[in-house]
Amino acid sequence: MIILGIETSCDETAAALVKYQGGKFSILSNIVSSQIQIHKKYGGVVPEVAARNHIINIIPVIDEALTKAKIKPSQINRIAVTTGPGLITSLIIGQETAKTLAYAWNKPIFSINHLKAHLSANWLNNQPIKYPAISLIVSGGHTELTLIKSKNKFIKIGQTLDDAAGEAFDKVAKLLGLGYPGGPIISKLALEGNPKTFKFPRPMINNNDFNFSFSGLKTSVLYTVKKLKKINKKTKADLSASFQQAAVDVLIKKTIKAAKKYNAKTILLSGGVAANKVLRENLSIACQKENLNFLMPEIFLCTDNATMIAAAAAFEKPTPWHKLRVDPNLEI
Ligand code: KG4
Ligand code: ZN
């Protein structure tokens, strides 16, 4: 089966062609047109600007995905598109494009939850998954722990009560004057810093639930910065490393705790923050210690892309036309 994936939930216009055959996935093309350079000067994504650029980019991006994959529309079996959560004007452009193509090419359309798609990036490892599994999705808009009882049985068990993990990286980068998006910049700078220099709090680390809070951690970085007389590059690197370690420690402690409570056999990491090397390495070590299988997508499949949208569609039912709608607040 050949699946065309389309993703426009935030500021990436993406299209991909994925083959699913004999229980194995292969990526035929993965095109991502990033708007980071455009939104950088505003310090974050401006929804109206994002939507305008999706309109400009969407057809060329799909065209490029088809050309690179050497696939003709007649060979496509499914069209998958993100319908939420995300920015409503951005989502509409992906959905309307997918609908038009599905109508013109006479293909079934698959409405895809962006969060399920993030965790579906793990299916692209082509490894069997032992259930129950615990999924940690960490992105710019979400931080969620989900219990997966079997392939399509998801139960949300925890989430952030304020900022998402990626949002915290972005805000800390902003307050340190480092630019946008913060995650990749902080993690790079942290390589030159000492994570033990500043003792930042690990919010809610010992709570009995599986929720998170990152707003207090960010504020703690802010107060520390205000108290410092002079901040040079080394101080920024130490602040970055110390903040990153605090965020990673909380994410790992709660994930492992959830795995123990629900007798999970597997941990699945995903979302933009899953590109963070310290999180990847530390969680991998923690899973080894607990004898848990650990899966994470390749780094290029962690941040928003359409390959994960196509992968998610392999196990979904087609969406009837009258049920197609975007939902900016869609939950897992
Ligand atoms: O999944 P994603 O591309 O978009 C959403 O669905 O939100 O995630 C984007 C988020 C941003 O907050 C970005 O700063 C963060 O992922 N991110 C990282 C890294 N790369 C991207 N955070 C920490 N370390 C990274 N290496
Ligand atoms: Zn995302």
Side-chain angles (χ1 to χ4, degrees):
M1 155 183 18
I2 305 273
I3 310 170
L4 167 65
I6 297 173
E7 155 65 35
T8 63
S9 67
C10 192
D11 61 335
E12 259 94 31
T13 319
L17 283 140
V18 168
K19 188 171 174 180
Y20 182 60
Q21 206 166 14
K24 296 246 182 272
F25 285 99
S26 45
I27 304 172
L28 306 181
S29 63
N30 174 62
I31 309 296
V32 181
S33 167
S34 168
Q35 300 179 19
I36 284 177
Q37 292 310 324
I38 297 167
H39 297 280
K40 224 176 185 170
K41 54 180 175 284
Y42 307 110
V45 177
V46 182
E48 172 68 14
V49 175
R52 289 179 189 208
N53 282 283
H54 283 313
I55 292 174
I56 295 167
N57 295 334
I58 188 88
I59 298 297
V61 163
I62 294 171
D63 242 351
E64 196 181 335
L66 287 164
T67 309
K68 199 149 190 201
K70 297 192 177 71
I71 290 288
K72 293 190 207 75
S74 60
Q75 294 171 275
I76 294 171
N77 304 99
R78 297 181 171 195
I79 296 182
V81 63
T82 310
T83 48
L87 303 170
I88 191 155
T89 43
S90 290
L91 289 165
I92 285 172
I93 289 147
Q95 181 185 261
E96 292 311 300
T97 307
K99 265 165 88 173
T100 309
L101 293 178
Y103 183 75
W105 295 341
N106 194 23
K107 309 287 177 191
I109 191 160
F110 291 70
S111 168
I112 301 297
N113 179 319
H114 183 84
L115 296 172
K116 272 195 195 171
H118 267 305
L119 86 86
S120 302
N122 280 301
W123 310 158
L124 293 144
N125 287 311
N126 289 319
Q127 305 257 345
I129 302 206
K130 291 185 188 144
Y131 296 100
I134 293 287
S135 142
L136 172 67
I137 305 173
V138 268
S139 71
H142 295 82
T143 301
E144 305 208 345
L145 273 172
T146 306
L147 168 65
I148 314 176
K149 289 193 159 174
S150 56
K151 194 138 211 157
N152 263 325
K153 255 190 146 180
F154 302 89
I155 303 166
K156 185 155 86 181
I157 56 169
Q159 63 186 342
T160 181
L161 302 178
D162 40 58
D163 292 349
E167 195 178 350
F169 273 87
D170 295 338
K171 286 180 175 171
V172 167
K174 199 170 184 173
L175 72 89
L176 292 177
L178 296 173
Y180 172 86
I185 305 171
I186 295 250
S187 58
K188 196 168 166 215
L189 191 56
L191 291 172
E192 298 158 35
N194 178 355
K196 293 194 173 138
T197 311
F198 297 97
K199 303 262 170 295
F200 291 130
R202 271 78 173 148
M204 298 177 71
I205 197 163
N206 290 319
N207 281 30
N208 279 331
D209 57 26
F210 297 110
N211 291 328
F212 300 92
S213 164
F214 290 103
S215 163
L217 171 57
K218 167 207 68 197
T219 309
S220 178
V221 179
L222 176 67
Y223 287 158
T224 306
V225 167
K226 279 188 176 165
K227 271 191 225 145
L228 290 168
K229 288 196 182 78
K230 210 174 87 196
I231 301 188
N232 55 24
K233 195 170 175 217
K234 173 74 174 99
T235 319
K236 284 191 187 183
D238 289 337
L239 284 161
S240 297
S242 303
F243 155 76
Q244 174 176 264
Q245 195 60 54
V248 165
D249 284 353
V250 181
L251 290 168
I252 293 179
K253 178 97 187 266
K254 291 234 152 168
T255 305
I256 298 293
K257 197 168 156 189
K260 284 184 179 163
K261 169 155 184 197
Y262 294 101
N263 292 319
K265 296 196 169 70
T266 308
I267 300 285
L268 302 168
L269 175 67
S270 65
V273 183
N276 185 282
K277 293 215 170 106
V278 173
L279 175 60
R280 294 168 81 85
E281 283 164 18
N282 289 11
L283 187 53
S284 169
I285 292 167
C287 287
Q288 263 171 29
K289 272 193 196 145
E290 300 297 333
N291 238 339
L292 289 157
N293 295 310
F294 175 54
L295 281 179
M296 57 187 166
E298 280 190 62
I299 286 182
F300 78 101
L301 293 173
C302 290
T303 44
D304 287 349
N305 64 85
T307 295
M308 66 184 195
I309 309 300
F315 307 110
E316 296 277 340
K317 291 196 174 65
T319 312
W321 282 80
H322 68 280
K323 288 208 172 149
L324 258 181
R325 58 181 57 87
V326 297
D327 179 354
N329 301 315
L330 194 64
E331 301 222 352
I332 201 156

